[in-house]
Structure formats: C-alpha cells, structure tokens
Amino acid sequence: MSFLPASDREYLQSKGFTFQEIVDGRNKGVVFPAFKLPPNKYDVLQADVLILLPSGYPDVPPDMFYLQPWAKLTTESRYPKAADHAFNFNGLSWQRWSRHNNEWRRGVDGIWTMLKRVEHALEVAA
C-alpha cells in the first residue's frame, strides 16, 4: 500500500533512498533501512529510521522519529536526551526521538525536510 504523496516518492527515488511504506493499525510509517549514523558517535553504525506520517500529511508535519536498534552515545554510554522511550510499531520496540517541529511550511516541506531534521538531530545529539 502506497500512501506517500507522489512528490515524496519521486524525491526519494531520485536520491536513491531505500524505503518501505508500512501501515500498522492507525499509524502510517516510512522506514528507511540501514540509515548511516554519524561515525564515532553511537554504539551502532546504522539503524532503521521510522518517520510516522500524521493524518493530514503533508500539510501537517511529522513530529518525531524512531530508531531500531536503539542507539546510545559512545562517549557516555547513555541514550541521547529525549531519546529514551519506546514506541511499538510493526511488532518492534523503536527508540523514540522526541524532536518537535514548529517550522513546517505547509505546501513547501515534505519528506526531504524531515530527513534533514533527522540527520541534524543525529549529528547534534547530546
């Protein structure tokens, strides 16, 4: 089942992203398998990234993202701030990264915006 807007799907395909669209109950999520994490920052080199798409997307922004497996900061062997709660999706316990979006531009932003936010959050996590 495909639920991504055509512009999102075209963007992801043009950039060579591997992704899966998964419906689990009321939740619609896009999973990016084997997403590379910043080197020397986490106790895992890559993780699957889940972005849940809210009802009304793309006019309504995605809020958080999730990792599987869970990732800890290598320097302190702890989870990053606001990334220590579980979220069950598609039979797995995902690490919830609470990163809220207050700057979503309706009609402009899309999955590309959220992926940049994920990359930034992973880079600056403390």
Side-chain angles (χ1 to χ4, degrees), residues 1-4 9 19-25 27-30:
M1 170 187 205
S2 182
F3 50 79
L4 273 172
R9 195 172 308 100
F19 64 96
Q20 301 168 306
E21 297 171 73
I22 300 173
V23 176
D24 182 28
N27 292 311
K28 294 179 181 177
V30 183

Side-chain angles (χ1 to χ4, degrees), residues 52-96:
L52 294 178
L53 300 183
S55 178
Y57 176 85
D59 291 332
V60 176
D63 191 32
M64 298 182 243
F65 68 94
Y66 309 83
L67 295 185
Q68 176 55 246
W70 291 44
K72 285 185 177 179
L73 296 165
T74 55
T75 56
E76 302 170 35
S77 189
R78 66 168 178 81
Y79 296 118
K81 292 178 185 172
D84 59 351
H85 287 88
F87 178 77
N88 293 315
F89 181 82
N90 202 36
L92 297 172
S93 176
W94 294 77
Q95 179 184 16
R96 183 185 76 186

Side-chain angles (χ1 to χ4, degrees), residues 18-52:
T18 301
F19 64 96
Q20 301 168 306
E21 297 171 73
I22 300 173
V23 176
D24 182 28
R26 293 183 176 184
N27 292 311
K28 294 179 181 177
V30 183
V31 174
F32 298 90
F35 197 91
K36 289 184 182 6
L37 303 184
N40 305 315
K41 186 155 182 114
Y42 298 99
D43 61 350
V44 294
L45 300 175
Q46 60 188 22
D48 293 351
V49 170
L50 165 65
I51 297 173
L52 294 178

